[in-house]
Amino acid sequence: MRKIQMVDLKGQYNAIKAVVNSDIQEIIDNTSFINGPKVHEFQKNLETYLDVKHVIPCANGTDALQIAMMSLGLKPGDEVITADFTFAATVEVIALLQLTPVLVDVNPDDFNINIEAIKKAITPKTKAIVPVHLFGQCADMEAIMELAKARNLYVIEDNAQAIGANFTYKNGKKVKAGTIGHVSSTSFFPSKNLGCYGDGGAIFTNDDALAHSIRGIVNHGMYERYHHDVVGVNSRLDSIQAAVLNAKLPHLDTYNKARQAAAMKYDAVFKNHEKIEIPFRKSVDCEGNCSTCDCHVFHQYTLKIKNSDRDGLVKFLNSHDIPCGVYYPIPLHKQKAYADERYNEADFPITNELIQNVISLPMHTELDDDQIKFITSKVLEFING
């Protein structure tokens, strides 16, 4: 059996090695390292894939989220609502822009931001909502957009973990994650479903005016060289990373299907166990968990462990050379950087439960049956022990 990895980027690379190497060599030969043809080619191809009007590449996913917020003209002290159960980058950029982060609880099934919690958190100072499409599945964007429209709020999708996922409206219409809100950000960190070989990110929008603003912000506020019209940053996707992404993009749906297939194999072993709750899928196309819906692209395969020792399971798996992750062990409202007397523990019952019982198993495009069999057998050995 091959060594089990949390993410197997080398195996994925071997399948596209010729294209990647050729395109990188072409960039080195023509020295078009910054803003070269590959960047523009990737941008256009991703716009087509997502069916979105504007893709603006940038240096990384955190920059993408910050730039998206900068484009909206938010002012210091404006409140931005987001999920408590997510990676810190989401709230980090809110704080960096001197906005006021407002953290709320998540759903117990899909771990995404809770609509009722959003409603309770809205004040006259609220200006935006940042739903995070956690672990590969969209938040309830139809309800969020309805609420935002009624309250005149911006919606910024944090799509770092769900590129390629579909969101299905109640009427059956399907759209890609990251194309629903006023503006969206994503990350191309190597371990993402669409990842480069360094850092990279992008902003998506269907709004022409926002796109114009964002294009200036990413390039020092310039639309014309040495003419700085807005306050900007230096955040560009380099050509080599764009070449890698361009080589991978035609395979993204295949990559996601491989992740879904691996998830179904995990499911088959765990789904009826009284101490294990498998990842929930929520789509109008299916009733709960099924093998046909396209709402989840499994950036992570995350179990909830019930009435057992989650931390002990982590140690047991590691002792058998099985990597795993706890995403996330500390809620944002308890992080030193973001703690605030405004927060009441009673408002975060789901997040405070999840940090105690979630565990993410290896998930990537190269998982094979022998690896999955070994991983699942060791999980059950511990849980049943």
Side-chain angles (χ1 to χ4, degrees):
M1 184 180 68
R2 293 181 296 113
K3 179 182 178 181
I4 298 172
Q5 301 181 69
M6 199 67 180
V7 181
D8 183 0
L9 296 176
K10 188 172 182 179
Q12 189 184 73
Y13 163 69
N14 286 335
I16 56 172
K17 183 175 182 178
V19 175
V20 169
N21 289 1
S22 174
D23 286 350
I24 290 176
Q25 188 61 55
E26 179 184 336
I27 292 165
I28 293 171
D29 290 342
N30 64 32
T31 68
S32 57
F33 300 116
I34 301 294
N35 242 357
K38 280 296 177 186
V39 177
H40 301 290
E41 183 181 342
F42 170 65
Q43 172 194 326
K44 294 298 182 185
N45 288 339
L46 188 54
E47 286 171 347
T48 299
Y49 173 82
L50 294 171
D51 192 23
V52 69
K53 287 180 72 175
H54 304 284
V55 167
I56 301 97
C58 65
N60 58 70
T62 306
D63 277 6
L65 192 54
Q66 177 176 323
I67 292 161
M69 291 186 191
M70 290 173 69
S71 72
L72 298 173
L74 304 179
K75 306 297 183 185
D78 286 348
E79 293 179 354
V80 179
I81 298 172
T82 194
D84 187 40
F85 188 65
T86 186
F87 183 60
T90 310
V91 71
E92 179 179 60
V93 297
I94 299 171
L96 283 170
L97 293 174
Q98 298 184 14
L99 307 171
T100 300
V102 178
L103 298 168
V104 301
D105 210 5
V106 297
N107 298 323
D109 48 15
D110 64 7
F111 312 153
N112 281 318
I113 194 166
N114 181 272
I115 303 300
E116 294 305 314
I118 296 174
K119 292 178 181 177
K120 291 179 182 178
I122 293 173
T123 75
K125 293 183 178 180
T126 306
K127 295 295 186 291
I129 305 167
V130 184
V132 181
H133 302 324
L134 200 70
F135 299 156
Q137 184 167 212
C138 284
D140 187 350
M141 288 303 297
E142 188 166 11
I144 289 170
M145 293 306 294
E146 289 172 357
L147 177 60
K149 183 177 180 180
R151 301 297 186 95
N152 195 29
L153 304 175
Y154 290 115
V155 175
I156 306 146
E157 291 179 76
D158 184 337
N159 193 37
Q161 299 187 19
I163 194 162
N166 283 330
F167 178 81
T168 305
Y169 286 86
K170 293 175 183 176
N171 65 7
K173 177 184 176 183
K174 290 179 180 289
V175 295
K176 291 295 184 187
T179 66
I180 306 164
H182 298 93
V183 64
S184 173
S185 66
T186 199
S187 168
F188 300 128
F189 188 78
S191 63
K192 302 299 186 187
N193 293 41
L194 180 63
C196 54
Y197 294 162
D199 266 323
I203 306 106
F204 316 144
T205 185
N206 285 304
D207 187 307
D208 295 340
L210 280 181
H212 177 73
S213 176
I214 291 164
R215 289 193 179 97
I217 293 170
V218 300
N219 190 32
H220 298 289
M222 292 190 294
Y223 299 99
E224 181 181 349
R225 192 166 177 80
Y226 301 126
H227 291 256
H228 304 273
D229 295 350
V230 296
V231 175
V233 297
N234 176 24
S235 186
R236 295 171 296 214
L237 180 69
D238 72 68
S239 297
I240 288 177
Q241 302 307 332
V244 172
L245 293 166
N246 211 38
K248 283 188 170 187
L249 182 57
H251 304 282
L252 177 57
D253 287 343
T254 301
Y255 293 160
N256 286 339
K257 287 184 185 300
R259 288 172 176 266
Q260 290 164 339
M264 299 308 157
K265 291 172 183 176
Y266 278 137
D267 285 354
V269 177
F270 297 138
K271 64 181 179 181
N272 294 318
H273 201 290
E274 62 180 2
K275 294 184 179 181
I276 300 173
E277 187 172 319
I278 63 175
F280 178 75
R281 284 75 134 174
K282 187 175 184 181
S283 172
V284 296
D285 287 351
C286 63
E287 296 180 1
N289 298 303
C290 72
S291 61
T292 58
C293 71
D294 51 9
C295 61
H296 206 317
V297 293
F298 292 97
H299 175 62
Q300 301 291 349
Y301 183 87
T302 302
L303 299 172
K304 288 169 66 175
I305 303 300
K306 301 176 291 185
N307 300 316
S308 189
D309 180 5
R310 190 276 313 275
D311 292 339
L313 175 59
V314 170
K315 292 178 182 177
F316 180 77
L317 294 178
N318 288 340
S319 73
H320 288 86
D321 296 321
I322 299 172
C324 56
V326 174
Y327 310 116
Y328 299 91
I330 306 172
L332 293 178
H333 80 272
K334 288 185 178 179
Q335 297 284 358
K336 184 177 179 180
Y338 308 112
D340 195 295
E341 62 183 12
R342 293 175 294 127
Y343 298 132
N344 185 336
E345 286 302 310
D347 292 331
F348 303 100
I350 304 304
T351 295
N352 287 336
E353 175 191 348
L354 292 176
I355 63 170
Q356 301 294 330
N357 61 25
V358 294
I359 182 172
S360 297
L361 301 182
M363 173 52 69
H364 52 81
T365 60
E366 311 304 305
L367 276 172
D368 62 37
D369 289 350
D370 287 342
Q371 291 175 316
I372 292 173
K373 183 178 180 180
F374 183 69
I375 294 165
T376 54
S377 69
K378 290 303 176 183
V379 171
L380 292 180
E381 180 181 336
F382 180 87
I383 295 293
N384 294 334

